[in-house]
Amino acid sequence: MAAAADPSVPPPVPPRFLVRRDAPSRRNGALRGRRGEPPPASLLQPPVPCLGDAAQIPQRVDKIAVRQLSQVCLLSFFRSSRELWTILLGRSALRELNQIEAELNKHWQRLLEGLSYYKPPSPNSAEKVKANKDVASPLKELGLRISKFLSLDEEQSVQLLQCYLQEDYRGTRDSLKTVLQDERQSQALILKIADYYYEERTCILRCVLHLLTYFQDERHPYRVEYADCVDKLEKELVIKYRQQFEELYKTEAPTWETHGNLMTERQVSRWFVQCLREQSMLLEIIFLYYAYFEMAPSDLLVLTKMFKEQGFGSRQTNRHLVDETMDPFVDRIG
């Protein structure tokens, strides 16, 4: 005699479909059809999400299925700032209101941190990179070289490298191996990644500018989502961005001694142009913020003293690097 079924154990899931608990049995013919024909869509569970917590996965999926699912799905996904900027512009496949809201909820902290999102190198971060078995050794070595050249956190440098390879690298895996084995090609790749890094920094500021420009525009389709995000940024945004502005115009220019042999005179000039551009964008964000929110007298006094100290853009710490091509940035800051 067959043993009685344990009522606490759910019945097995059909191999091709996840059937709702309230679905009628096969006896009433509801699931009956031509051979090979799937059941009606109304009787099927929604597809199991690849990302998210286990509570979202239907109860009929057992622990083994969850483990298999986690092996297939990408559980740690990083969104580049440029990709986030594209999404906010409505130029990506993610255009639904709930998708825009989800992206902003996930990344608003990065927007609040601004340029401070990128951390300086540290021994602890370097050790974590070296101990990471999920990253190939040649990529680790290149990531550490990128870290030195950009004075960027080692883990973030490897992450930056991976994003660049995914988004901008046009070669194959075999060609990448060749590049990593050739010193001249490796140096050229590092310089391209530096340009990508500068663009990533700029895109963070572009995202915030975009939010502040349209969060009160009734005609914009994402106005509500933008406004919710600005509410989260409101209290600390100006304080953080003002500090970043001060740090930028006081920062000493990199040298080959501190950043390696790739930091040539041309690369120093490239760095300084980026520095001026970021100063300009930070000020634009600060003043656009005060177009919507009241400025306290104490804040006005702090800004006035800061601008006077800096000579309205003309007294840069690295003013010896300023040439005619940089005048538009200096004028914009002033």
Side-chain angles (χ1 to χ4, degrees), residues 131-308:
N132 190 343
K133 297 181 180 179
D134 295 330
V135 180
S137 295
L139 294 182
K140 289 182 186 179
E141 295 173 7
L142 185 61
L144 294 176
R145 293 179 64 183
I146 292 170
S147 171
K148 180 176 178 62
F149 179 62
L150 298 177
S151 189
L152 178 65
D153 176 86
E154 288 82 358
E155 287 185 288
Q156 288 186 319
S157 297
V158 173
Q159 193 176 65
L160 183 76
L161 170 60
Q162 292 172 328
C163 283
Y164 172 81
L165 294 177
Q166 179 181 345
E167 295 184 5
D168 279 17
Y169 185 67
R170 296 293 177 260
T172 63
R173 288 189 177 184
D174 291 336
S175 66
L176 178 60
K177 291 179 181 178
T178 303
V179 169
L180 296 178
Q181 293 170 356
D182 184 86
E183 179 60 23
R184 180 172 294 182
Q185 293 186 63
S186 295
Q187 291 179 356
L189 180 60
I190 292 174
L191 295 181
K192 290 180 180 178
I193 293 173
D195 289 338
Y196 178 80
Y197 170 61
Y198 292 149
E199 186 180 7
E200 281 289 283
R201 291 171 62 94
T202 302
C203 282
I204 290 182
L205 303 182
R206 283 175 179 167
C207 288
V208 178
L209 269 174
H210 187 73
L211 293 177
L212 289 175
T213 302
Y214 293 106
F215 83 104
Q216 287 192 356
D217 188 346
E218 296 290 345
R219 298 167 298 176
H220 200 284
Y222 304 145
R223 187 198 68 80
V224 174
E225 289 71 27
Y226 289 177
D228 290 342
C229 186
V230 171
D231 286 343
K232 297 177 183 177
L233 304 177
E234 180 184 346
K235 290 184 179 180
E236 300 180 77
L237 183 69
V238 168
I239 296 174
K240 288 180 177 291
Y241 278 38
R242 189 176 65 213
Q243 290 174 347
Q244 292 168 33
F245 175 77
E246 293 183 49
E247 290 171 2
L248 278 177
Y249 79 76
K250 293 179 180 179
T251 300
E252 295 286 346
T255 66
W256 66 269
E257 295 172 323
T258 57
H259 290 65
N261 295 331
L262 281 178
M263 190 54 70
T264 60
E265 185 176 332
R266 180 177 180 180
Q267 290 303 316
V268 172
S269 178
R270 174 75 180 86
W271 171 88
F272 190 52
V273 168
Q274 178 68 19
C275 180
L276 293 174
R277 178 181 289 111
E278 290 173 0
Q279 289 182 49
S280 173
M281 294 185 72
L282 286 168
L283 287 180
E284 190 173 353
I285 289 171
I286 290 172
F287 284 108
L288 185 57
Y289 173 91
Y290 282 125
Y292 298 104
F293 301 98
E294 183 179 358
M295 178 187 289
S298 57
D299 292 337
L300 177 60
L301 183 61
V302 169
L303 288 173
T304 303
K305 288 182 177 179
M306 182 176 65
F307 293 144
K308 184 178 180 181

Side-chain angles (χ1 to χ4, degrees), residues 11-214:
V13 181
R16 291 183 59 192
F17 310 107
L18 291 172
V19 185
R20 284 198 336 225
R21 282 190 172 183
D22 57 348
S25 66
R26 292 182 181 272
R27 291 182 182 178
N28 62 12
L31 297 182
R32 195 175 299 152
R34 291 191 300 272
R35 186 173 183 179
E37 182 177 292
S42 61
L43 299 180
L44 299 181
Q45 282 277 14
V48 179
C50 281
L51 299 176
D53 57 39
Q56 294 176 321
I57 300 176
Q59 296 179 2
R60 289 182 178 273
V61 181
D62 58 17
K63 293 182 179 179
I64 296 177
V66 173
R67 285 199 298 269
Q68 292 173 342
L69 194 63
S70 65
Q71 293 171 0
V72 174
C73 296
L74 182 62
L75 296 180
S76 57
F77 175 75
F78 178 79
R79 178 83 68 196
S80 72
S81 298
R82 186 175 68 181
E83 192 174 7
L84 180 60
W85 160 243
T86 304
I87 291 171
L88 294 182
L89 289 179
R91 296 176 182 173
S92 76
L94 304 178
R95 296 184 180 181
E96 300 298 327
L97 297 181
N98 62 331
Q99 293 173 325
I100 300 298
E101 181 183 14
E103 291 296 324
L104 289 173
N105 286 339
K106 191 182 301 182
H107 302 295
W108 73 270
Q109 190 68 41
R110 186 196 308 185
L111 302 182
L112 178 62
E113 292 180 17
L115 302 179
S116 297
Y117 170 76
Y118 297 103
K119 310 301 180 185
S122 68
N124 184 42
S125 180
E127 289 301 320
K128 287 182 179 179
V129 168
K130 294 175 182 177
N132 190 343
K133 297 181 180 179
D134 295 330
V135 180
S137 295
L139 294 182
K140 289 182 186 179
E141 295 173 7
L142 185 61
L144 294 176
R145 293 179 64 183
I146 292 170
S147 171
K148 180 176 178 62
F149 179 62
L150 298 177
S151 189
L152 178 65
D153 176 86
E154 288 82 358
E155 287 185 288
Q156 288 186 319
S157 297
V158 173
Q159 193 176 65
L160 183 76
L161 170 60
Q162 292 172 328
C163 283
Y164 172 81
L165 294 177
Q166 179 181 345
E167 295 184 5
D168 279 17
Y169 185 67
R170 296 293 177 260
T172 63
R173 288 189 177 184
D174 291 336
S175 66
L176 178 60
K177 291 179 181 178
T178 303
V179 169
L180 296 178
Q181 293 170 356
D182 184 86
E183 179 60 23
R184 180 172 294 182
Q185 293 186 63
S186 295
Q187 291 179 356
L189 180 60
I190 292 174
L191 295 181
K192 290 180 180 178
I193 293 173
D195 289 338
Y196 178 80
Y197 170 61
Y198 292 149
E199 186 180 7
E200 281 289 283
R201 291 171 62 94
T202 302
C203 282
I204 290 182
L205 303 182
R206 283 175 179 167
C207 288
V208 178
L209 269 174
H210 187 73
L211 293 177
L212 289 175
T213 302
Y214 293 106

